[in-house]
Every structure is written in structure tokens, then in C-alpha cells.
Amino acid sequence: MATFVLVPGMCHGGWTFEPLARRLREHGHQAYPLTLTGVGARAHLLSSTVNLETHIQDVVNTLLDEQIEDAVLVAHSYGGMVTTGVADRVPDRVDSLVYVDALVPGDGDSCWSLVPAEREWYLESGETGYAVPPLPFFDPRATPHPLASLIQRLRLTGDGDLARFRRRDYVYATGWDGESPFESLREQLLADPLWTVHDVDSRHNIMRDAPDTLLKILLDSV
């Protein structure tokens, strides 16, 4: 039995992973779809001080509180920033990593530096100065996302080597309108024998648009 810890992307709460989590439980696994501070059901905690480190600590605290020692960290989009930080902080509690059309940052990276095409969107936080609004085509449950978490640079306190973990899977969505912001990352990981890359015929929200394929990848990963 595996323990999946599912970390959503910008503006999304644990609800985005809940259907997948139910199916994982039906297969006998444990699954924790998380909602990060300031987003979704925790939107009332949104403030200018909520940053990337806050979100990393959200996940670390879950691992500690639930006494999880063999987590399969599953990250969508922005969630890759968070899970990379978590794997660095508590590597002894992480078994493997699955990035679902997500960022795979290094030390000093941020969403601002890795996805320059989205900077104009981030700067639409004018109403409060610290909350990036959901895009119009997002699910109605999407909520504003803390700007500081997108600007803050990830600081890896360990060696940042993801090779220490049992598996590293990358799930790449091929159905973007225009060029995917993860295309160069895909090419880089394809050339790395330590990674397994899965091309999926889906738009960015793979959990919604290709749930059967994603479920199979997660089950195969364990």
C-alpha cells in the first residue's frame, strides 16, 4: 500500500485531486489531497505574508502529523515548487515524486523566473496587492492565489538531488493551445535516465481531462 500526498496548482484546492484520491483509495492506497494556505477552503487565511515557504511547511506538517514516512508526492503545475521543497526538507519521509505538468525547480528558482510568460497574470493582483486572481476559464471553485508564493525563490537546504528517491515520474500534457511552458523541461528530463516521462493527450488539467491515464501512471509508479 502506498501513501499519496497530492499537491494542487495555483488557485486550486484539494478538490481538484479528490476524485483521483477516491479511486486510489479504492485500490487500497492512502491518499491525501491537500489544500494550501490561503487557497480554496483555506482562502480565509490569505494574506500578504503567505509565501512558498508557507506552502512547503503545509505539506511537511501533514507528513509529520499523519506520521507518513513513505510519501509519493504528486504535484500539479505550481505544486512542483512546493513538493521539491518538501523533498529537500524531509527526504526521509518521501518515497518518490510525480510531477503532473509541473515545475521542477532548482535552488534559487521561482515561478516568476521559470515561467516569464505568466508574469503579466501575476501582476493582476492590483485589487489587494498580494492575490493573483483565477483565470476566467478556471473551475468556479478556484480562488485567488498568494502572490508571494510565486515571487519567492526556492532555497534548497540539502543537496537538491532528486536522485535519492526511488522514482521520479514526469507527466507531460501534449494538448496545450500553443507551446507548453514545460516543453524544454520535458526535453531535459527525457535525456535523463533517472526520470520516466509520460506524454499524455490532455490539456494542462490532466486530473480532469485524462483521469484514467493519470490513475494508471500513479498505480504503475508504486
Side-chain angles (χ1 to χ4, degrees):
M1 182 179 70
T3 304
F4 292 91
V5 177
L6 307 141
V7 181
M10 279 182 63
C11 303
H12 289 64
W15 52 264
T16 195
F17 271 119
E18 184 54 43
L20 178 64
R22 287 197 296 268
R23 296 180 70 182
L24 289 168
R25 294 180 193 120
E26 289 170 358
H27 283 269
H29 303 293
Q30 291 185 308
Y32 295 83
L34 303 188
T35 295
L36 302 172
T37 298
V39 186
R42 305 182 71 198
H44 60 291
L45 300 175
L46 178 61
S47 73
S48 60
T49 61
V50 176
N51 58 21
L52 176 58
E53 196 60 39
T54 308
H55 289 166
I56 292 170
Q57 199 60 50
D58 283 339
V59 183
V60 169
N61 287 346
T62 297
L63 299 181
L64 297 176
D65 188 60
E66 298 292 338
Q67 297 183 316
I68 298 170
E69 297 181 349
D70 57 350
V72 179
L73 297 182
V74 182
H76 181 238
S77 197
Y78 159 78
M81 298 291 303
V82 180
T83 58
T84 302
V86 173
D88 174 72
R89 303 294 192 279
V90 287
D92 56 317
R93 292 184 177 268
V94 177
D95 171 74
S96 56
L97 302 159
V98 182
Y99 291 81
V100 182
D101 222 33
L103 296 167
V104 183
D107 183 51
D109 286 335
S110 66
C111 284
W112 180 271
S113 68
L114 291 175
V115 196
E118 292 187 349
R119 290 177 183 175
E120 186 174 347
W121 173 28
Y122 299 169
L123 296 178
E124 290 180 7
S125 55
E127 186 168 338
T128 62
Y130 57 77
V132 178
L135 292 172
F137 56 84
F138 280 7
D139 187 285
R141 290 170 290 183
T143 58
H145 190 92
L147 175 63
S149 70
L150 310 173
I151 303 298
Q152 185 181 24
R153 294 181 180 275
L154 175 67
R155 292 303 179 191
L156 300 177
T157 57
D159 59 15
D161 183 13
L162 300 183
R164 74 179 80 180
F165 303 109
R166 181 180 60 82
R167 277 187 69 117
R168 292 146 303 281
D169 287 82
Y170 194 88
V171 185
Y172 177 78
T174 63
W176 280 77
D177 293 330
E179 183 178 339
S180 166
F182 308 109
E183 185 173 351
S184 61
L185 173 60
R186 171 186 175 274
E187 295 300 320
Q188 173 188 334
L189 298 181
L190 273 174
D192 188 337
L194 296 178
W195 284 81
T196 302
V197 177
H198 312 265
D199 287 349
V200 176
D201 182 13
S202 171
R203 296 172 67 87
H204 181 52
N205 192 341
I206 297 176
M207 299 85 68
R208 179 194 63 201
D209 296 341
D212 293 342
T213 303
L214 182 56
L215 176 65
K216 184 178 186 305
I217 290 170
L218 293 183
L219 294 177
D220 288 347
S221 75
V222 297

